[in-house]
Amino acid sequence: MNFEDIKQGIIQLIKKAETELPKDVIVALENALEIEEGVAKTQIEAILKNIDLAKKTQRPMCQDTGIQTFFVTIGIDFPQINRLKDLITEAVKKATIEVPLRPNTVDPFTGKNHKDNTGDYIPYLTWDFVNGSDVNIIALPKGGGSENMSKLGMLKPGVGIEGVKDFVVDEMIKAAGNPCPPTVVGVGIGGGADLSMKLGKKALLRPVGKRHKDKTIAAMEDELIKRINNSGIGPMGLGGKTTVLDVHIEKAHRHPASLPVGIAVQCWADRRAQMVIHADGSWEVA
Amino acid sequence: MEYHLKLPANKDEIKKLKISDILYVTGNIFTARDEAHHIMLENEKNALPFDPSEMALFHCGPLMKKEKVRWQVVSAGPTTSSRMEIFEDKFIEKFGVNIIIGKGGMGERTEKALQKFGGVYTAYTGGAGALAADKVEEVLGVYWLEELGMPEAAWIFKVKEFGPLVVAIDSHGRSIYKELKKSI
């Protein structure tokens, strides 16, 4: 297996995520352009122009290239599982120079920038194991402005799902223009504090426009999209019809005494890219 | 209304600007986030290595690349302005900055300072970093790079037709954000 080649593949994965948005996000932004007017329209126009320019010039669409975040699904028959963590970390260091990425990892105690986008626990990796021999990596570089609007609510179970809806709508109205709307909102309901936050972030992996397969949850997603957009916050919080491009919900069973709700917010730059590594070391980035 | 201004902008030009106007600026701008605000406020205006009153203030932590000896902007959209709310009124008063470029809006303290000293807060589309970089003609300098690192350092950019900027808080006490909040 050619590890240098796989590393190059991971760099390409990062570059793709930073420079090209998935088609589903672009379609949603183009739909927003059709319904917006005035100042709101100028914002969507600038966003679409920016996306186009970033792709053409192969440079990161946003200066905040994020915290490098990867969701890795490993087929248990992949022969070199033990090398994956090092390969991803090395690729992040190299991508910092080659793409380039903004050095975004700062020690919380000394304030010192690690300068290569790695550090304690970073890149942030989530592992999952399945049958098979392919490794699937999703890159989700996560910007700070939207991450700062994340929220955990430990609600009282008595408020029910209606209470969950109100919590999400209120928090997104409070966030206003700060997370760079139109955003994609991931909501994790249930589990514990950490699991609800994790589910919120995982929900962001779903393509924009795709509803949850459970009809009740899908209906709740539709309702939240409508309610948040009715707030009038609009693109960049300057007023308009499009505050969210989508809301995605995931759930876990909860403790009888708890109703955790985790909100993960993604800016319009809903950067996602995917890579498959096969058992022989060959790979594709999409 | 749409305006194209040369920097530094004078008092009359600032006064003309009303919320929802679109603005493009040409001239010099400097970046400052939390840390640069902090360092600059610890100094007197004449002790600074550049004159902030000659430029627009850009809330931005750019992505830069050094090509041999010259710095180049790769991507440079605005950062969230509300983090600078705790500094900005003092900053406007002390350094005479009259155009601020950022995203997401600012609060009452900044609003009042802009009204009192004659200035505007303008919003540049968040995340539009490649588009912004395209309007930077030259990187004129950088300060506190070693201590603060790339995102937090103060970068001086020479820009041409930098925009579209939306006048979001004007010098007459009006704010798009405040008015929107009232209507929700």
Side-chain angles (χ1 to χ4, degrees):
Chain A
M1 199 174 286
N2 185 341
F3 295 118
E4 275 311 306
D5 186 57
I6 294 175
K7 211 188 285 174
Q8 278 308 314
I10 302 169
I11 294 170
Q12 200 172 310
L13 170 76
I14 296 168
K15 183 159 189 169
K16 171 117 181 164
E18 298 283 359
T19 58
E20 293 179 40
L21 275 190
K23 188 82 189 122
D24 52 89
V25 186
I26 296 174
V27 167
L29 287 164
E30 284 168 348
N31 291 340
L33 183 69
E34 303 242 320
I35 60 164
E36 294 291 2
E37 49 200 28
V39 166
K41 193 170 183 167
T42 65
Q43 299 306 298
I44 303 290
E45 272 169 354
I47 289 171
L48 286 167
K49 240 190 240 175
N50 182 67
I51 291 169
D52 203 42
L53 190 65
K55 188 177 175 182
K56 270 188 198 140
T57 57
Q58 284 291 293
R59 59 171 120 156
M61 63 191 83
C62 180
Q63 74 291 339
D64 182 357
T65 47
I67 285 283
Q68 295 301 311
T69 306
F70 301 90
F71 290 81
V72 189
T73 306
I74 298 171
I76 50 172
D77 295 325
F78 184 78
Q80 300 282 352
I81 294 173
N82 60 329
R83 294 295 301 268
L84 287 169
K85 189 176 180 184
D86 285 347
L87 283 172
I88 294 171
T89 306
E90 289 303 313
V92 166
K93 286 182 188 174
K94 254 184 124 176
T96 301
I97 298 158
E98 286 183 18
V99 175
L101 307 175
R102 194 176 71 181
N104 267 353
T105 45
V106 176
D107 183 293
F109 284 89
T110 63
K112 216 172 156 214
N113 195 315
H114 207 267
K115 294 187 173 169
D116 61 4
N117 281 301
T118 72
D120 296 339
Y121 291 97
I122 307 291
Y124 179 36
L125 304 166
T126 299
W127 306 102
D128 207 355
F129 295 88
V130 293
N131 286 322
S133 60
D134 282 353
V135 172
N136 227 294
I137 308 177
I138 301 176
L140 185 90
K142 193 65 184 62
S146 58
E147 188 71 6
N148 285 347
M149 297 298 120
S150 312
K151 216 77 204 192
L152 170 68
M154 298 303 288
L155 308 188
K156 294 196 166 50
V159 302
I161 287 296
E162 287 307 313
V164 174
K165 291 177 191 169
D166 291 345
F167 174 69
V168 175
V169 173
D170 288 351
E171 288 304 327
M172 285 307 98
I173 288 174
K174 267 193 247 163
N178 289 305
C180 282
T183 55
V184 179
V185 180
V187 183
I189 306 172
D194 56 343
L195 182 53
S196 69
M197 292 302 299
K198 187 83 190 192
L199 286 175
K201 194 158 270 181
K202 251 189 148 167
L204 297 176
L205 301 178
R206 204 195 309 161
V208 171
K210 196 172 171 196
R211 294 276 62 79
H212 197 283
K213 58 182 188 295
D214 179 300
K215 273 189 188 148
T216 310
I217 297 175
M220 177 168 163
E221 291 174 345
D222 279 330
E223 185 187 336
L224 290 179
I225 294 166
K226 212 177 267 171
R227 281 178 64 183
I228 299 169
N229 282 341
N230 279 343
S231 69
I233 287 166
M236 296 301 147
L238 294 165
K241 300 185 181 83
T242 323
T243 308
V244 288
L245 296 174
D246 210 344
V247 176
H248 293 154
I249 301 171
E250 294 297 334
K251 64 146 178 162
H253 280 71
R254 61 173 177 83
H255 186 281
S258 312
L259 177 53
V261 182
I263 306 176
V265 191
Q266 179 67 298
C267 55
W268 64 259
D270 181 14
R271 294 166 285 190
R272 279 175 274 129
Q274 203 169 338
M275 178 187 192
V276 182
I277 311 171
H278 303 291
D280 62 358
S282 63
W283 51 266
E284 294 107 42
V285 168
Chain B
M1 286 290 285
E2 185 174 307
Y3 294 95
H4 297 257
L5 290 186
K6 287 223 156 48
L7 300 175
N10 67 39
K11 271 197 169 131
D12 292 336
E13 287 169 325
I14 294 291
K15 221 171 173 183
K16 255 192 262 170
L17 300 171
K18 305 272 162 60
I19 55 169
S20 296
D21 283 342
I22 302 288
L23 179 65
Y24 292 82
V25 296
T26 297
N28 295 346
I29 65 178
F30 70 101
T31 70
R33 295 167 46 123
D34 319 51
E35 297 286 342
H37 273 76
H38 193 76
I39 285 196
M40 286 175 74
L41 281 171
E42 279 179 347
N43 283 284
E44 288 311 311
K45 190 180 167 198
N46 55 19
L48 294 174
F50 59 92
D51 184 355
S53 63
E54 293 290 308
M55 307 178 200
L57 158 62
F58 186 18
H59 294 157
C60 169
L63 167 55
M64 308 292 294
K65 191 177 187 174
K66 202 168 195 177
E67 302 270 5
K68 290 182 185 147
V69 288
R70 287 165 60 94
W71 281 103
Q72 283 193 328
V73 189
V74 180
S75 197
T79 193
T80 307
S81 298
S82 57
R83 294 198 317 271
M84 272 59 81
E85 176 70 10
I86 50 171
F87 306 109
E88 216 68 294
D89 52 350
K90 284 170 263 158
F91 204 85
I92 292 164
E93 181 174 7
K94 195 166 178 182
F95 300 130
V97 166
N98 63 5
I99 296 179
I100 300 170
I101 304 165
K103 75 166 176 89
M106 301 196 72
E108 208 178 340
R109 278 170 61 180
T110 304
E111 261 168 57
K112 285 198 170 137
L114 290 171
Q115 195 173 6
K116 188 170 174 193
F117 300 103
V120 291
Y121 170 84
T122 66
Y124 187 81
T125 313
L131 196 64
D134 210 39
K135 306 287 180 177
V136 178
E137 291 191 309
E138 204 184 334
V139 179
L140 298 176
V142 58
Y143 302 96
W144 307 294
L145 178 61
E146 270 313 301
E147 307 95 288
L148 304 182
M150 185 192 292
E152 297 286 342
W155 295 89
I156 319 280
F157 298 152
K158 184 181 169 205
V159 299
K160 195 177 176 185
E161 289 290 311
F162 191 82
L165 310 172
V166 178
V167 178
I169 305 173
D170 63 24
S171 61
H172 308 282
R174 290 189 69 187
S175 154
I176 290 187
Y177 309 102
K178 194 168 65 184
E179 289 176 21
L180 199 66
K181 221 176 188 176
K182 271 188 205 153
S183 71
I184 293 173

